[in-house]
Amino acid sequence: MSRESSSGAGVRVVDARLHLLSRQVLDVDGEPVTTVDDLELVAADARDDDAPRDAAPGEPAELGAILTGPVLVTRLLGGRPPASRWERVPWRDVGHVGTALELTVRADSLDVHWPEGWLREHVVGRIPGGRHDPEEAS
Amino acid sequence: MILGDLLDARVRGPGGEHLGTVVDVRLALETLRGDDPSPDDPDREARALSAQVRRRDRVGRARVVGILVSPRSGAPLLGYERTGVTAPWPVPQLVRRRHRGTFLVPWEDVAAVGPGEVRLAAGYRQEDAALP
Amino acid sequence: MKKLLGVALGILTAIGGFVDIGDLVTNAVVGSRFGLSLVWVVVVGVVGICLFASMSGRVAAVSGRATFEIIRERLGPRAAGANLAASFAINLLTLTAEVGGIALALHLASSVEPRLWIPVAALAVWLVLWRVKFEVMENVAGLLGLLLVGFGVALFLLGPDWGELVRQAVPPSPPATEHVATYWYYAVALFGAAMTPYEVFFFSSGAVEEGWTAKDLAQNRVNVLVGFPLGGLLSVAIAACAAVVLLPAGIEVSSLSQIVLPVAQAGGTLLLAVVIVGIVAATFGAALETALSSGYTLAQYLGWSWGKFRRPARAARFHLTMVVALLLAVGILMTSVDPVTVTEMSVVFSAVALPLTYVPILLVANDPEYMGEHVNGRVTNALGMVYLVIVVVAAVAAIPLMIATGAGS
């Protein structure tokens, strides 16, 4: 718990479904990235540099990552996707929790950003005017 | 483990007796020294009005505190049984009434998590579900 | 002075933007069949949309969250997903009706077949969505939509028996020839036309597009509370024109040319031209709003980047959604379905879906974690609960009434 000792600040109690699930995730510039479709729980003793261990019942646990993508489909229809198909935003990239979750990194740097990035490069960005800033005089 | 494994799971006591459903998972967010990400935003005060929005503390790790168990299942909860919100009458009052008896079980007292079911350890504690 | 101009512009665009193809068709149909005996529904609908729009605008301005983000957060993925499916389908139906409306109005003006106008109209809508700044788009469509005031002018030129019109309206006295179920069916349709959910998706997302903060709340309130009722007055003028000319002649409205017949009769070609420009602007504006709403709802549910204020490439999936919605609308219209029928369907289904959007907004507008000191006051909440009942009753009654009356025939 290296970060906890260095912070010296307080603790804020939230309920996951009430305050985190289905909230909008914004990147450091305020651009929407995804929604919180599910959350991954990991064992709390892992250090930042280790590969996180899965949480076990009754043993100290913490949030490891925001999950999105296929987990939404299974939350709608039931079941759960294999861990290899989870699309993660690491919890350590979360900066603020308000009416939306604000990240400390840019959307482009995240793995979950690929569908938007792909469409930008291959479709929408290629249409004339696709990179035009609407707030500027045209 | 993902949160979806816990939410809406049936909760059984150590002897297998049915206690209710997991309606939420309580977390303790570490708040680090507050830093201001956009000090040059002139509308910041107007933009961030409610205490929750205005709270600009950076969050750190999010520790699992426990699971919230309601004796009743179903129906989106909206959290009224855990907060003091009273408007618009009579919605919070009705939800609160329906989910009376919701309690918090500390995470240490959760013995096993299986498909659609959570089993509590012997001598599990039932704590007040209200949000501070 | 500049501030005053801003207020005036806001009000004027709210008036001009109020009427869309749904209001136009439903009011004319109702006027031609029931006279002014359903005017009270317009009043109920206008008060409702004022309440609903100002609440969603306030939530967006204070919390920064648009309506479908709120719906997803409050209802969870499953119920919100069902809501999304319903809202998206109804929105598509409305978009289809609006694009069809543009084509019909251009057909009236040009006598070129509507089917040739449909792709042109859709392309024009897309170009505006792709290129034009949000504020410019909203203001131009709203101001030109004001030309619908021609219906009011026509009403005065017709020189109706005002006493008779008032007698139809208060107390509401439906013609003896109509069945009571049909009367209530059209009451629901008229209510749905005034309180379409897309207006709220658009209004709240527009607040985010324009970067509203709590400082803009007063302006928001004035726009809504002055602009929408005056827009509602335009709706009543459309119904009254139909009640004066079409009802006595026994003409049941089934096409746009019948809707503008009273205008042509009262004011000749000039007034007709003015009103047709107004209809093109109003349907075009509403086509923009519904196309945007299809993007807003899907993007906000899934957390995609959205907004016209971003470069299209930085909201790629949002822009692609709107293109797909427009193509679907064109596809539906090309099957030579009657846009007037599509419109009538869309307003009734709007009434059915309304509670799904209304309830989350009402709840969040009361949540201090979102709204701080700007939570609903007692009066707003009292009115809000009255409308909750009305909205639910209309939604529950819509489908049975539709079946019982054979969709009002």
Side-chain angles (χ1 to χ4, degrees):
Chain A
M1 297 276 167
S2 54
R3 283 204 286 184
E4 194 172 65
S5 51
S6 65
S7 69
V11 163
R12 182 169 146 213
V13 175
V14 296
D15 286 347
R17 185 183 254 172
L18 205 54
H19 297 111
L20 301 177
L21 281 186
S22 286
R23 296 234 174 176
Q24 178 74 55
V25 179
L26 306 172
D27 84 347
V28 70
D29 301 323
E31 188 171 291
V33 181
T34 181
T35 43
V36 183
D37 293 327
D38 212 324
L39 291 160
E40 184 186 21
L41 301 176
V42 295
D45 48 10
R47 300 276 163 176
D48 283 349
D49 42 348
D50 301 344
R53 241 174 356 98
D54 197 21
E59 288 168 28
E62 66 177 343
L63 292 186
I66 295 168
L67 301 180
T68 178
V71 281
L72 175 62
V73 180
T74 50
R75 275 199 74 198
L76 291 174
L77 305 175
R80 96 198 269 259
S84 61
R85 300 219 37 220
W86 295 352
E87 298 194 8
R88 289 185 174 86
V89 178
W91 183 259
R92 63 171 176 273
D93 289 342
V94 175
H96 302 279
V97 173
T99 58
L101 273 64
E102 296 167 42
L103 303 180
T104 53
V105 296
R106 285 179 56 93
D108 306 5
S109 71
L110 295 164
D111 295 341
V112 296
H113 190 67
W114 67 266
E116 180 80 23
W118 190 88
L119 282 173
R120 175 185 304 164
E121 292 313 314
H122 295 93
V123 185
V124 175
R126 295 200 174 182
I127 304 171
R131 294 175 190 274
H132 166 75
D133 184 354
E135 298 295 301
E136 284 169 15
S138 33
Chain B
M1 191 182 307
I2 61 177
L3 214 60
D5 296 338
L6 295 169
L7 293 176
D8 301 322
R10 287 181 307 279
V11 180
R12 297 200 179 275
E17 68 276 24
H18 180 77
L19 297 173
T21 321
V22 180
V23 290
D24 215 331
V25 173
R26 181 149 299 172
L27 303 166
L29 289 184
E30 225 189 315
T31 50
L32 308 174
R33 185 178 47 81
D35 63 339
D36 194 338
S38 51
D40 44 333
D41 180 357
D43 289 331
R44 218 196 114 221
E45 272 311 301
R47 221 184 278 290
L49 285 150
S50 69
Q52 201 79 0
V53 183
R54 201 184 292 129
R55 182 144 40 190
R56 300 301 306 182
D57 294 338
R58 273 205 60 170
V59 300
R61 296 189 164 196
R63 194 170 49 80
V64 178
V65 174
I67 56 172
L68 289 150
V69 181
S70 167
R72 308 285 291 269
S73 65
L77 270 171
L78 313 159
Y80 286 128
E81 75 289 354
R82 286 164 266 160
T83 62
V85 177
T86 56
W89 182 89
V91 180
Q93 288 77 2
L94 291 175
V95 173
R96 207 162 283 148
R97 199 186 161 94
R98 184 177 156 78
H99 287 279
R100 216 169 17 191
T102 300
F103 56 91
L104 173 71
V105 177
W107 183 244
E108 303 88 87
D109 297 346
V110 176
V113 177
E117 194 172 291
V118 169
R119 190 178 291 264
L120 303 181
Y124 68 90
R125 288 159 287 172
Q126 294 192 7
E127 295 177 0
D128 186 8
L131 274 164
Chain C
M1 186 61 198
K2 198 173 169 206
K3 193 163 181 197
L4 204 66
L5 263 177
V7 173
L9 186 65
I11 294 173
L12 290 177
T13 53
I15 303 170
F18 182 83
V19 173
D20 71 346
I21 189 77
D23 298 288
L24 199 63
V25 168
T26 319
N27 278 288
V29 169
V30 163
S32 74
R33 289 180 63 169
F34 301 92
L36 286 188
S37 61
L38 278 165
V39 156
W40 64 272
V41 180
V42 177
V43 177
V44 173
V46 167
V47 174
I49 192 70
C50 283
L51 176 76
F52 194 14
S54 63
M55 217 151 57
S56 71
R58 182 156 42 90
V59 170
V62 174
S63 72
R65 307 269 69 84
T67 295
F68 226 91
E69 297 175 321
I70 298 283
I71 292 175
R72 166 81 196 262
E73 198 269 314
R74 281 293 123 151
L75 299 184
R78 238 179 243 168
N83 189 349
L84 177 70
S87 298
F88 198 87
I90 293 162
N91 205 43
L92 189 63
L93 209 59
T94 316
L95 174 62
T96 306
E98 308 290 353
V99 174
I102 306 172
L104 288 181
L106 289 172
H107 161 66
L108 278 185
S110 66
S111 78
V112 173
E113 222 202 311
R115 244 213 259 198
L116 295 176
W117 280 120
I118 290 164
V120 177
L123 184 66
V125 169
W126 176 73
L127 278 173
V128 172
L129 293 174
W130 187 252
R131 194 73 200 207
V132 179
K133 196 175 162 180
F134 187 87
E135 281 89 349
V136 175
M137 168 197 103
E138 212 187 9
N139 292 343
V140 171
L143 289 179
L144 284 176
L146 277 178
L147 293 178
L148 287 177
V149 85
F151 276 103
V153 174
L155 184 60
F156 278 94
L157 291 177
L158 286 168
D161 178 353
W162 295 101
E164 166 59 20
L165 284 180
V166 172
R167 263 192 301 283
Q168 289 174 4
V170 273
S173 39
T177 48
E178 296 285 359
H179 194 274
V180 68
T182 318
Y183 179 81
W184 285 105
Y185 173 72
Y186 277 105
V188 170
L190 212 48
F191 185 65
M195 271 187 92
T196 20
Y198 87 79
E199 288 171 11
V200 172
F201 301 140
F202 174 75
F203 195 75
S204 68
S205 306
V208 176
E209 296 255 21
E210 295 181 340
W212 286 8
T213 66
K215 279 188 276 184
D216 303 302
L217 288 178
Q219 159 94 53
N220 161 33
R221 201 167 294 148
V222 171
N223 288 356
V224 167
L225 294 185
V226 179
F228 284 5
L230 289 175
L233 220 51
L234 280 183
S235 299
V236 175
I238 295 167
C241 278
V244 170
V245 174
L246 305 177
L247 179 64
I251 300 174
E252 279 190 20
V253 171
S254 58
S255 73
L256 196 59
S257 56
Q258 290 164 324
I259 296 175
V260 296
L261 190 65
V263 177
Q265 197 178 317
T269 325
L270 183 64
L271 192 60
L272 181 63
V274 167
V275 162
I276 288 178
V277 175
I279 293 177
V280 172
T283 48
F284 197 90
L288 293 170
E289 294 180 9
T290 42
L292 280 166
S293 293
S294 65
Y296 289 146
T297 48
L298 193 63
Q300 288 164 11
Y301 176 84
L302 290 167
W304 298 345
S305 175
W306 57 271
K308 257 191 68 54
F309 66 97
R310 296 196 160 89
R311 296 164 200 269
R314 293 218 66 96
R317 289 176 286 191
F318 167 70
H319 270 276
L320 216 56
T321 306
M322 296 195 291
V323 170
V324 170
L326 271 170
L327 288 176
L328 285 173
V330 170
I332 296 171
L333 286 168
M334 283 302 174
T335 63
S336 59
V337 62
D338 178 15
V340 174
T341 316
V342 176
T343 307
E344 292 185 346
M345 292 290 118
S346 74
V347 293
V348 174
F349 284 113
S350 290
V352 176
L354 194 54
L356 298 172
T357 308
Y358 181 79
V359 172
I361 289 295
L362 180 65
L363 297 181
V364 164
N366 278 292
D367 187 338
E369 289 193 4
Y370 274 80
M371 302 298 291
E373 58 189 295
H374 293 274
V375 288
N376 276 358
R378 272 163 193 272
V379 178
T380 311
N381 268 338
L383 204 57
M385 290 312 289
V386 170
Y387 269 87
L388 180 62
V389 174
I390 298 176
V391 160
V392 170
V393 168
V396 171
I399 302 283
L401 280 174
M402 190 177 204
I403 295 167
T405 63
S409 55

